[in-house]
Each structure stands twice: as C-alpha cells, then as structure tokens.
Amino acid sequence: MFKIRKIITISDYVTAINIILGLCAIIFHDFRFIYASIVFDALDGFVARKTNTVSDFGAELDSICDVVSFGVAPAYLLYYYFNSPFVLVASLIFLVCGAFRLARFGVLDVKYFIGLPIPAGALILAIICEFFINYNNYIVNYGISENIINIVVSILGVIFGVLMISDISYPKYPNKIMMGIFGVSLILSMFGIFEPLGICAVCYVIYGLFKNENVQ
Amino acid sequence: MFKIRKIITISDYVTAINIILGLCAIIFHDFRFIYASIVFDALDGFVARKTNTVSDFGAELDSICDVVSFGVAPAYLLYYYFNSPFVLVASLIFLVCGAFRLARFGVLDVKYFIGLPIPAGALILAIICEFFINYNNYIVNYGISENIINIVVSILGVIFGVLMISDISYPKYPNKIMMGIFGVSLILSMFGIFEPLGICAVCYVIYGLFKNENVQ
C-alpha cells in the first residue's frame, strides 16, 4: 500500500523538514524559517553522504523542497512586506529564475555552482527585506519615501534572480573558517541579529562576481 | 552570460506560467489560480510533445513548478481559510506528501500514475475548501460548528495527502469525453461555479480507489 517507504531514507526526512520550514515562513511571515531551512538543506546532503543513501529520489526531493523554502517563501515575503505592483513583478521574476536555476542544477553535474545558488539568493533577499523593515524609520527620516524603498527592493530582487540564472560560477564548499563564521551568523539571525549573516551573504555574492569565470 | 537560454524551450515558458499562477494563488488567496495552473500544467506537456522539445530540464522544471501550484498553494490556502492548529498540521502533511509524490514521479517511468496525482489532490482539496467557505452559513445553521468544519477539512487534507503517496494506480490520459467534461467544468470554476469541477475530482479519486491494482 505504501511501497514509497522503501525509497525514503533518513536524509529525505531531513529534506522534508526543509519544506515544512518553507511553508511556515509563508504562513507566519517570518524570515527566520528561511534561515533555519538553510541549515536543514545543508544537513540532508551531509546525512545522505554519511549514511550512504545518496539517491536520485533524494536529489529530486531536494530541488522540490528548495523551490518552496528559497523560492516561494522569500518571493512571497518580499511582496507581503513591500506591497506594490513593482514588487509583485520582482517577486515573480525571482521565483521563476529560482525555478530555472534549480531545474538546471538538477540536469547538470558539475563541481561548482553555475549561477548564484538559490539558498544564497533567498538568504540575501531575505536579509535585504529585514534590513528595510527594521531600519524603515531611519531611512524614511533621511527623506527616502516608501515608494523608493519598494523600487530598490524590486530591483535587488530582480538582480538576485538574474544572478541565479547567470553563468557566474560560485564555490560549492567554502573553507571551514568561512563555514564557522557563517554558522555563528546563522545562529545570531535566529535571535534577530541578522547583520552578520547579511555581510556573509553580500561577500559570497560579490566573491562570485569578482572571480567570474563564465563557465557552463 | 546566460547560456541557460539554450536549454529553455517554449514549453518551459508555459511551465513558468504554472509557477507564476501558483504564487498568485498564495498572494491573492484565490483558488482560481490553482484551477488555471492545471490548464498550463497539461499544456506544457502537450507543447513539449508537439514541438519535440521533451527534455530532462523540462521534466525537472515541471516537478519544481507543480510543488508550488499544487502543493504550497492549496496547503497555504487551507490554513489561510480554516485557521486552526489541526489545519496547520494537515497543511504540512499534505505538502510533504505532495513533495514525496512528485519526487517519486520524477524517478519512476510508468504508463499510469502511482498514487493520486498532485494536481488532482490539489484540485479536490481546493474544491472542498471552496465548498466549506461558500456553504459555511448553511452548514453552521445545521448546528455544525466551525471547529468541526476545521477537523473535517484537516482529515480530508491528510487523506488526499496519503492517497498521493499510496500505491493506488490512476489513469494517465482519460478519454476525450471525460476530458471535455473536465474542460467545461474548469472554465465554469473560473466564474465561481466550482461544483461540476468538484464532481469530476471526486469521481476521479473514487475511480482510482475502486479499480485499485496496488502496483509499483
């Protein structure tokens, strides 16, 4: 009756937590679920390799869950917090680019990432949203209207979308020091201190742009 | 810079409309976007076959878009309209089952569907939500409380989720008469007349249960 149990491994249940967190981000309008998804997205691959359960099913499931946590969730929250027609278009472009990025990743087999990985795209978009939400009063005090903020987040959303479908190569596994800094930043973001995570995300995006080798 | 253009075909752009409609269903809290997604989900396969552009990339993209329109959108709308802890659990179960269903479909190559297809699962869940939203006053007049309605939709959500990951076989291409009836019902649903589409969905679900061959 449920032969699917035979192909679902422990790492696939970890992937399932990823998609659950993605839906929670949408339902509770909270970016922290996206940050938590990044942990489980990294963890499922680690568990699959450690338990020797890497499978086509797991890879498929990974893409399916990633589009929810790192495509739909940030795109929806972008529109939810910066409600305007510009932002709607940017949200849709970001999501479509994310879907194309994931589908390409599913059919290519390379040692580096081609195009900004979707978790990084989601992360930087989420951080930028948090920045504009948290510092909204300061920004408006400088005479920058809500309309301009909406246009800025829309343009950034489109840029990150386009980076995802570009040919710019990004490193797959950063070194341990970087991983440590990223891990600490991720923990801090759970307590509302999102700035260090933002710096990590911006550094990663810029790193790819500067060492661009334009490969495919 | 954008070599991805070489692998994206016309049918993939049709698939992209599917995911756009899925996000619109979430943003505008409207089930009709899910019904429209079903049209584009059928159309992309048709276009790919007619233009001889069936590809691994297209198949990957299809699963990635389907989880949004037929997994996240109905799960989110279920919780949005029937806000309760039971419903939240049911929404998450429905989405996880949908993701497992899509991942299994991606790795199997069979002539029939194994488990209720996710568009059918999304369709029947959406119709049931619409039924309880539209007939809420009548139902409450019969002494059935909102709490009971929430429990009923939760149970049905879980049942459709479980049917998706079951081994029950469903026909892949119904005959032309059935397709015609379904098409007319789909058009009517766009104008708020969702009952014929509901009957089609219920018949399809029950058909699979009765002709069950338990295959995989």
Side-chain angles (χ1 to χ4, degrees), chain B residues 74-90:
Chain B
Y76 172 74
L77 292 179
L78 176 64
Y79 182 76
Y80 180 82
Y81 285 107
F82 305 91
N83 199 312
S84 93
F86 284 120
V87 178
L88 177 61
V89 174

Side-chain angles (χ1 to χ4, degrees), chain B residues 13-30:
Chain B
Y13 288 110
V14 178
T15 313
I17 298 174
N18 178 359
I19 201 169
I20 287 172
L21 291 169
L23 184 57
C24 287
I26 298 166
I27 284 177
F28 301 113
H29 316 122
D30 194 333

Side-chain angles (χ1 to χ4, degrees), chain A residues 6-201:
Chain A
K6 289 179 193 163
I7 50 170
I8 300 176
T9 64
I10 179 83
S11 60
D12 299 325
Y13 289 110
V14 178
T15 312
I17 297 174
N18 178 358
I19 201 170
I20 286 172
L21 291 169
L23 184 56
C24 287
I26 298 166
I27 284 178
F28 301 113
H29 315 124
D30 195 333
F31 293 99
R32 282 175 298 180
F33 288 104
I34 298 176
Y35 309 148
S37 285
I38 290 175
V39 177
F40 287 92
D41 186 45
L43 203 63
D44 66 358
F46 178 79
V47 171
R49 283 187 296 272
K50 283 283 168 196
T51 57
N52 238 329
T53 52
V54 176
S55 67
D56 286 346
F57 176 83
E60 276 279 328
L61 189 67
D62 209 33
S63 292
I64 287 165
C65 295
D66 280 2
V67 76
V68 178
S69 306
F70 309 129
V72 185
Y76 172 75
L77 292 180
L78 175 65
Y79 182 76
Y80 180 81
Y81 286 107
F82 305 90
N83 199 313
S84 91
F86 284 121
V87 177
L88 177 61
V89 173
S91 291
L92 294 172
I93 290 174
F94 180 85
L95 178 60
V96 170
C97 290
F100 281 152
R101 171 72 180 75
L102 279 167
R104 176 173 61 175
F105 179 70
V107 294
L108 287 180
D109 188 21
V110 285
K111 285 212 172 70
Y112 41 79
F113 288 124
I114 298 173
L116 183 67
I118 189 168
L123 182 62
I124 192 158
L125 185 60
I127 296 276
I128 279 164
C129 290
E130 289 233 74
F131 173 81
F132 279 107
I133 294 163
N134 282 277
Y135 292 102
N136 186 57
N137 288 345
Y138 297 96
I139 297 165
V140 172
N141 275 347
Y142 276 100
I144 297 165
S145 74
E146 300 268 344
N147 261 345
I148 293 173
I149 294 175
N150 288 349
I151 292 169
V152 169
V153 291
S154 301
I155 292 170
L156 288 171
V158 173
I159 288 174
F160 301 138
V162 170
L163 281 178
M164 290 196 287
I165 56 163
S166 72
D167 303 336
I168 296 164
S169 68
Y170 279 86
K172 218 161 185 174
Y173 301 108
N175 64 55
K176 282 186 180 174
I177 298 167
M178 289 299 292
M179 282 291 278
I181 295 170
F182 182 70
V184 172
S185 306
L186 212 51
I187 293 166
L188 287 173
S189 73
M190 293 292 151
F191 298 97
I193 306 161
F194 59 86
E195 289 84 353
L197 194 59
I199 295 166
C200 287

Side-chain angles (χ1 to χ4, degrees), chain B residues 8-9 13 16 18 23 35-36 38 40 49 52 82 85 102 127 133 136 165 174 183 192 204:
Chain B
I8 300 176
T9 64
Y13 288 110
N18 178 359
L23 184 57
Y35 309 148
I38 290 175
F40 286 93
R49 283 188 297 273
N52 239 330
F82 305 91
L102 279 167
I127 295 276
I133 294 162
N136 186 57
I165 56 162
Y204 186 70

Side-chain angles (χ1 to χ4, degrees), chain A residues 1 3 60 76 167 216, chain B residues 1 3 60 76 167 216:
Chain A
M1 188 69 181
K3 293 194 186 113
E60 276 279 328
Y76 172 75
D167 303 336
Q216 184 156 6
Chain B
M1 188 70 181
K3 292 197 187 111
E60 276 279 329
Y76 172 74
D167 302 336
Q216 181 155 11

Side-chain angles (χ1 to χ4, degrees), chain B residues 82-104:
Chain B
F82 305 91
N83 199 312
S84 93
F86 284 120
V87 178
L88 177 61
V89 174
S91 291
L92 293 172
I93 292 175
F94 180 85
L95 178 60
V96 170
C97 290
F100 281 152
R101 170 73 180 75
L102 279 167
R104 176 173 62 177

